[in-house]
Amino acid sequence: MLALLLSLGLVLAACGSSDEGGEDQSGGDSGESEDSSGEEAANGDFSVAMVTDVGGVDDKSFNQSAWEGLQAFGDENGMSKGEGFDYAQSESDSDYVTNLNRLVRQDYNLIFGIGYLLQPAIEEVAGQYGDTHFAIVDSVAEGDNIASITFKEHQGSFLAGVAAAKKTQSNQVGFVGGVDGDLINKFEAGFVAGVKSVNPDIEVDVQYAESFAAADKGKLIATNMYNKGVDVIYHASGATGNGVFAQAKDIKNNDPEANVWVIGVDRDQYEEGSVGDTNVTLTSMVKRVDIAVQDVSTQSMNGEFPGGEVLEYGLADDAVSIARTNEEALTEDIISSIEEWKEKIVNGDVEVPSTREDLETYVNSL
């Protein structure tokens, strides 16, 4: 039986190799992609990789969460870095296509593009390699061999706004975004809506760094906000947010009694706020990029890749949530309010705005 299975595997592998060579020349056909991937998974040859955006794999936020998901998938399936899974680091936008092509040449069956900035590159490369599976996180891309992974960030950001509104003493809170665009606007709209739902009189200072990899600019923006009286800042800015944490910790080091807080994003950033015996991380809007990466990787390995589909994760399936690691900062009153609003959102009693236009309508209705 073993000899028969091995022989069959060799035959299938030979067929897959022949098909792949033909598709590279003709542009590929997504219909044959799933069959090829299924054969590879059955033979235990499945491999997966990801391309980071400019924030890098150690941005302590979005990219890092995705990488942790890939590592967890690898551990579950007896893989190791470079032997079954890996990543390619992007230092600038010009690296996206180069990195994707390199991973394709290395015969990875599934390649993730981490962040909406990679959408054009994913569509370009996926169109050239129909036998390779691709997935884009935080955007929707066209292609039968591309899975689009999205999140209802505005829902989780709404709860972050509730937490900020309940915690502020100055009635001034801030939002620091990375690049001003549709995606980060979802974070902004949800956050402002959550704040205003608790107290319409709270001022929300919104500023963008226009980068996900500019910690120095994040620190400068945070400095100006805290100096003006803002005491809670929610950042949705990738590695730029490291500067927000740095400034809050500097203030806390100089004045242990200072009332300054940061709300992290994408993963629980409690550790980033550590200052001696205290912590400036109020909470974090956790987006389970890691779980989504594991889920899509498993589907692809099992021959069930959701090519051409848009996958959306939200509060209802716990794909976005509010971290409760800082038990001292998140009082029972704050947690109770968060749970109350979460129930309203999940039940459909509250429709959280995801654009600035919808936000204006929402705030005017309060």
Side-chain angles (χ1 to χ4, degrees):
M1 178 65 73
L2 178 59
L4 178 61
L5 289 174
L6 289 173
S7 299
L8 178 59
L10 289 173
V11 172
L12 289 175
C15 292
S17 175
S18 175
D19 288 344
E20 184 178 355
E23 293 304 336
D24 283 347
Q25 298 173 10
S26 64
D29 179 82
S30 61
E32 294 183 11
S33 174
E34 294 189 22
D35 294 337
S36 174
S37 295
E39 291 163 5
E40 288 160 343
N43 291 326
D45 294 330
F46 181 81
S47 59
V48 55
M50 58 175 262
V51 175
T52 74
D53 69 8
V54 293
V57 77
D58 56 353
D59 65 353
K60 299 177 177 149
S61 184
F62 187 72
N63 290 282
Q64 185 167 330
S65 179
W67 176 234
E68 289 171 353
L70 212 57
Q71 289 175 300
F73 171 79
D75 290 342
E76 288 176 357
N77 293 282
M79 302 173 179
S80 60
K81 184 178 180 298
E83 297 292 335
F85 71 93
D86 209 339
Y87 73 89
Q89 183 103 347
S90 300
E91 302 300 332
S92 67
D93 294 0
S94 62
D95 292 335
Y96 298 154
V97 170
T98 301
N99 282 335
L100 289 168
N101 276 315
R102 177 165 64 82
L103 294 176
V104 170
R105 290 195 300 270
Q106 292 175 348
D107 293 327
Y108 283 96
N109 307 112
L110 171 62
I111 302 172
F112 287 90
I114 308 303
Y116 74 92
L117 294 175
L118 278 86
Q119 178 191 342
I122 284 281
E123 290 183 339
E124 176 183 336
V125 178
Q128 298 170 359
Y129 298 97
D131 284 341
T132 301
H133 290 164
F134 295 86
I136 179 74
V137 179
D138 267 356
S139 186
V140 176
E142 297 294 329
D144 291 338
N145 59 333
I146 306 174
S148 299
I149 300 171
T150 64
F151 295 85
K152 298 179 181 179
E153 297 95 347
H154 50 301
Q155 293 184 341
S157 297
F158 184 101
L159 300 184
V162 170
K166 299 291 288 186
K167 192 66 177 179
T168 181
Q169 295 178 4
S170 64
N171 275 356
Q172 298 180 66
V173 301
F175 174 84
V176 177
V179 176
D180 192 347
D182 291 344
L183 174 63
I184 306 304
N185 290 166
K186 290 172 66 178
F187 292 81
E188 174 195 334
F191 178 69
V192 175
V195 170
K196 296 292 186 178
S197 293
V198 174
N199 182 354
D201 296 328
I202 294 177
E203 296 180 14
V204 185
D205 187 354
V206 175
Q207 295 189 43
Y208 282 79
E210 291 305 330
S211 172
F212 292 109
D216 55 342
K217 193 163 185 180
K219 193 175 192 300
L220 178 61
I221 292 174
T223 299
N224 293 333
M225 284 188 176
Y226 287 131
N227 285 343
K228 290 193 304 182
V230 167
D231 54 5
V232 183
I233 297 177
Y234 173 40
H235 92 88
S237 57
T240 296
N242 295 337
V244 178
F245 278 104
Q247 180 57 24
K249 290 193 288 186
D250 283 351
I251 293 174
K252 202 70 172 177
N253 272 322
N254 293 327
D255 181 7
E257 300 302 318
N259 185 59
V260 291
W261 301 98
V262 181
I263 297 178
V265 75
D266 293 333
R267 62 195 296 272
D268 187 351
Q269 295 192 301
Y270 178 77
E271 293 183 0
E272 313 315 317
S274 180
V275 185
D277 296 331
T278 187
N279 197 297
V280 297
T281 304
L282 173 61
T283 183
S284 299
M285 197 288 283
V286 180
K287 185 166 66 172
R288 298 306 302 270
V289 180
D290 56 336
I291 296 299
V293 166
Q294 284 180 261
D295 182 34
V296 174
S297 296
T298 299
Q299 290 183 55
S300 182
M301 184 180 67
N302 293 336
E304 301 172 350
F305 179 68
E309 297 182 23
V310 178
L311 311 176
E312 190 174 32
Y313 300 83
L315 276 180
D317 44 27
D318 294 324
V320 294
S321 62
I322 292 297
R324 302 185 182 185
T325 314
N326 196 339
E327 297 178 351
E328 293 185 9
L330 283 180
T331 63
E332 290 185 8
D333 178 52
I334 296 176
I335 291 176
S336 176
S337 187
I338 288 173
E339 287 300 315
E340 176 185 342
W341 285 101
K342 176 183 177 180
E343 184 177 357
K344 291 179 181 179
I345 295 170
V346 173
N347 290 343
D349 296 330
V350 172
E351 185 68 30
V352 181
S354 60
T355 66
R356 287 171 178 162
E357 182 180 2
D358 290 342
L359 172 64
E360 183 178 0
T361 301
Y362 180 88
V363 171
N364 289 337
S365 70
L366 295 175

